[in-house]
Structure formats: structure tokens, C-alpha cells
Amino acid sequence: MDPEFVSAIVRAAGGEKVNIAAFCRTHSISRTTFHKYVARFKAEGADGFTRRSTAPHTSPTRTSAVLCEAVVRARKELDDAGLDNGPQSIAWRLESLGFDPVPSRATVYRILLDHGQIVAQPRKRPKTRRRFEYSDPGGLWQIDGMEHYLSTGEKVCVLQILDDHSRLDVGSCAAVGENGAEAWRALEQAFAGYGLPVRVLFDNGRAFSAKHRGGTSALERTLAALGVQTITSSVYHPQTCGKNERAHQTLQKWLRKQPAPDTLEELQGLLEQYRVVYNNRRHQSLAGKTPQQRYDDKPTVAATPEPKIRHGEVARSISHTGIVQFDGHSISLGRAWGDRTAVLHWRGDDVTVMVGDVVVRQLTLDRSVKFQPLAALSMKS
């Protein structure tokens, strides 16, 4: 307290005449404040100069201890189950347990922050991103693999297949590794449950695609024969398969909370349990719906039975001995064409090889062998 202020209050309270207006003007305080302290001094003496708390006597909107305890408990239960335990997931859990009223996401966040459950992040610049999804279930499936380890330390693979529109897990398959045969087995199981999708998207892994190596993989050819279009993401651009990458994180978190499986069969059993949990849990990206609800909201589209024949062209160097490599095969052209550059035009298994303006060879690839020998009738010059 300003000593002059204290002195003036004491003198005024004792009945001495004080020019209150002039004093308040000089000390930049209001007369209301001056008289308030005079009244306090008369009632309390020197204790009247002690500053009071400005907090309200009652806080009817303060979060109750019961709600705080419920939020913290729900977060731990979700974490113990290996499930997402962010503010929105906690609010949904409280709603499912009949908690009324259900706290907002912001309220849950504030409770977690106050109880040291999370650490506040500096406000980041929002990212401008365009979220794309197919308009109908069955319009596109994404397939991708992730590593996993059995209790024995053996490294295996989980092939996960998602419907792009609904994020429904249409198939999660325990496999010995990420290869074409296992990918086809996983897709066959998903086809049995949900039919053929219009398109399948995968990355550039050798198990899936040979597009960026200038050919077609066995998986691409098999799907094309069924009328399923295949799409390959750009090289070094994992965002294209972002939904599957995010789904891997959710699956890994859940698996870490389960007993480590000893065999592939036990891992497959866990994956079947997970699919039931995942497909029936609400997602923020689906406006609070579950993947199963989103999938069931609209009719499913399916592939047409007409085969999809892939085609393209690619340049390849011819070896000194007249061999050109294409789609995992060695095509013989003859020594006369050695050390040149060939352009291969292909459609399905039909290939035309040109050097400059000359058609050097036309053939249909024999997929049962790697070496395609030169027949006399195939040479043209």
C-alpha cells in the first residue's frame, strides 16, 4: 500500500477533514475505492488494507471431481486395451458408459492437461491438405504390409486391406513375408467376404507392382484378368497410401497390448479379434461413425467382369550378346542388334521390340520360363 494512501484513509476514518476529491485526482484512484477502504478500516482496522482475492465465492461451471476422475480413468482403460485414447475417444467412451452430460472434446483436453496426463503442444501452423476418398464402398481398396515379430523373435508380415471410402478393414492376414503369393492369398480372403472391388491401390513393393520397372507383376496380371483395375502410388510418396499407414499405427498399438503370439495361426487369431474391434469403433475422420456403419450406408460398387489389359512402352539397352531385359524376362534378339537401345511396346503379354524404325521381334511372353529364345521366324529387318 502507498503510505500516503494509508495515512489519508486513517485520517478520514478518524473524522479528520481530507480533501478526498483532490487526493484521488492526485493519486489516480477513484473516490469509490477511497471510501471502500475507509469502510474497511473502520470495520477491520489495519487488516482492511489486505488485498482480497478476486476469485468468485462460487464456481457453478467448474468441472466436477467426479468428471475429472471419470476422464482420467477412461484414458487409462483405453490405453490398457491398446486403443486410441485421445480427448474425442475418451468423450465417446464416457457417452457409451451412459455419462450425462457428455463432456466436450475441449473439456476432456483441459482435464487431461490439468491432471498431467498430456503435455500442451505449442500452437502449430495449420497444414493445408486435401483429404480425398472414393465416393462409394468398393470403389477402391488399399493393401499394404507391415512387419511384426512373433514371441520367438521371428519376423513375419501383416497384410492389411482397407476400403478407401469407409476405412473398413476388409482383411488382415498374417503372412510369412510380403510377397506376391501371400498378397494374393490375403486378397482372395477379402474377396470371399466382400466381393471384387473396382480398383486396388498399392505401393511399389515387389510383392505388388512392377509398373515402375517397366512391366507387370503376377498380382497385377491376376487382378486384371478379374476386371480389377490396379493403381500404384508414386515412388517415395507414401501419403498416397496414407489411410493404410495410419491403420498400421492403430493395429500396432493394439497388438503391443496383447500377449505375443507364438505362431502365425495365433497372430491370425489376434487379427480377427482386432478387425471386430476396429470396424465397430467410432472414427473422427468418419464424423463419429464406425467403419462398418459407413460401409453399410451406401450400396457397394464392384468390378466389371471384363479383363483389364495393361499396356505401355519402355526403352531398354540391348546387351553385347543381343539380349534385352523386360518384366523379369530375357528376350533374345540376336547378336546383330547388340549394344543398341530397344523400345518395347507391350500389351498384356504381347511384346513388339523396335530398334529405331525397325521391328526386331514380336512375341508373346512365355511366363513359365525366364529366357525367351530367338526363333528364326521372329526376326525382321
Side-chain angles (χ1 to χ4, degrees):
M1 282 290 178
D2 180 358
E4 292 185 9
F5 177 76
V6 171
S7 176
I9 293 296
V10 173
R11 286 187 286 114
E16 185 177 335
K17 288 186 178 182
V18 177
N19 189 339
I20 296 176
F23 181 87
C24 290
R25 188 164 51 249
T26 302
H27 290 77
S28 301
I29 62 174
S30 69
R31 283 179 288 181
T32 301
T33 300
F34 189 94
H35 288 294
K36 178 180 71 175
Y37 277 93
V38 169
R40 283 186 181 178
F41 184 78
K42 288 180 178 180
E44 304 174 23
D47 291 339
F49 292 115
T50 304
R51 290 186 180 276
R52 268 62 164 174
S53 171
T54 58
H57 296 293
T58 60
S59 300
T61 60
R62 178 182 295 172
T63 305
S64 69
V66 173
L67 175 58
C68 292
E69 193 274 335
V71 166
V72 174
R73 183 175 64 251
R75 178 175 172 82
K76 183 180 185 304
E77 290 171 349
L78 289 171
D79 182 67
D80 289 344
L83 302 173
D84 289 336
N85 58 356
Q88 186 62 75
S89 296
I90 292 173
W92 283 336
R93 179 171 180 82
L94 294 178
E95 181 182 0
S96 68
L97 294 174
F99 208 95
D100 187 34
V102 179
S104 68
R105 179 179 176 180
T107 298
V108 174
Y109 174 83
R110 186 172 63 253
I111 292 173
L112 295 176
L113 194 62
D114 292 344
H115 286 75
Q117 299 292 309
I118 57 176
V119 177
Q121 297 291 327
R123 187 176 295 276
K124 300 177 181 178
R125 180 180 178 182
K127 295 180 179 179
T128 302
R129 63 178 62 181
R130 179 185 176 189
R131 177 175 289 173
F132 177 82
E133 68 179 26
Y134 274 72
S135 58
D136 301 291
L140 175 77
W141 285 1
Q142 295 187 17
I143 178 173
D144 193 21
M146 72 172 198
E147 292 181 353
H148 192 67
Y149 289 87
L150 301 178
S151 61
T152 59
E154 179 185 357
K155 183 172 73 173
V156 294
C157 176
V158 174
L159 291 161
Q160 199 169 17
I161 310 171
L162 293 184
D163 175 68
D164 186 87
H165 171 75
S166 63
R167 290 170 174 75
L168 187 76
D169 186 328
V170 297
S172 288
C173 181
V176 294
E178 187 177 288
N179 58 60
E182 294 283 40
W184 174 243
R185 181 170 68 88
L187 284 166
E188 275 193 310
Q189 292 177 5
F191 295 159
Y194 299 93
L196 295 175
V198 178
R199 304 169 190 85
V200 173
L201 168 68
F202 31 62
D203 60 22
N204 291 276
R206 289 184 175 274
F208 304 123
S209 175
K211 176 182 177 181
H212 293 288
R213 298 191 296 275
T216 57
S217 67
L219 181 61
E220 288 173 311
R221 292 192 298 274
T222 303
L223 290 172
L226 295 173
V228 178
Q229 180 185 354
T230 55
I231 304 174
T232 308
S233 64
S234 301
V235 180
Y236 306 121
H237 199 272
Q239 298 93 326
T240 305
C241 301
K243 295 185 183 72
N244 224 325
E245 296 290 342
R246 180 63 182 86
H248 288 344
Q249 296 177 27
T250 303
L251 173 56
Q252 288 169 337
K253 182 176 182 179
W254 187 84
L255 286 173
R256 284 194 293 268
K257 296 294 183 176
Q258 314 308 316
D262 299 326
T263 64
L264 275 180
E265 290 73 19
E266 291 183 11
L267 175 57
Q268 186 62 53
L270 287 175
L271 294 178
E272 294 303 324
Q273 294 177 36
Y274 168 78
R275 287 186 59 228
V276 174
V277 173
Y278 172 85
N279 286 338
N280 293 282
R281 275 182 59 80
R282 297 167 69 175
H283 283 228
Q284 295 183 50
S285 57
L286 301 178
K289 290 187 176 182
T290 69
Q292 189 66 60
Q293 289 171 335
R294 185 69 178 273
Y295 186 86
D296 294 337
D297 278 348
K298 299 179 69 175
T300 305
V301 295
T304 60
E306 300 177 0
K308 308 290 185 183
I309 301 177
R310 300 193 64 180
H311 58 86
E313 64 178 63
V314 62
R316 289 284 188 270
S317 297
I318 305 173
S319 71
H320 180 69
T321 56
I323 304 296
V324 65
Q325 302 293 329
F326 172 70
D327 205 11
H329 297 273
S330 299
I331 302 174
S332 177
L333 304 178
R335 288 181 178 272
W337 302 103
D339 299 321
R340 303 191 193 185
T341 298
V343 177
L344 295 88
H345 302 266
W346 56 275
R347 181 178 177 82
D349 288 343
D350 296 328
V351 183
T352 296
V353 185
M354 296 186 68
V355 175
D357 296 331
V358 179
V359 175
V360 177
R361 184 173 180 187
Q362 291 178 289
L363 75 157
T364 299
L365 292 175
D366 181 355
R367 296 284 180 180
S368 65
V369 295
K370 294 294 185 182
F371 183 69
Q372 311 292 305
L374 179 65
L377 295 178
S378 68
M379 288 289 297
K380 293 186 180 181
S381 60

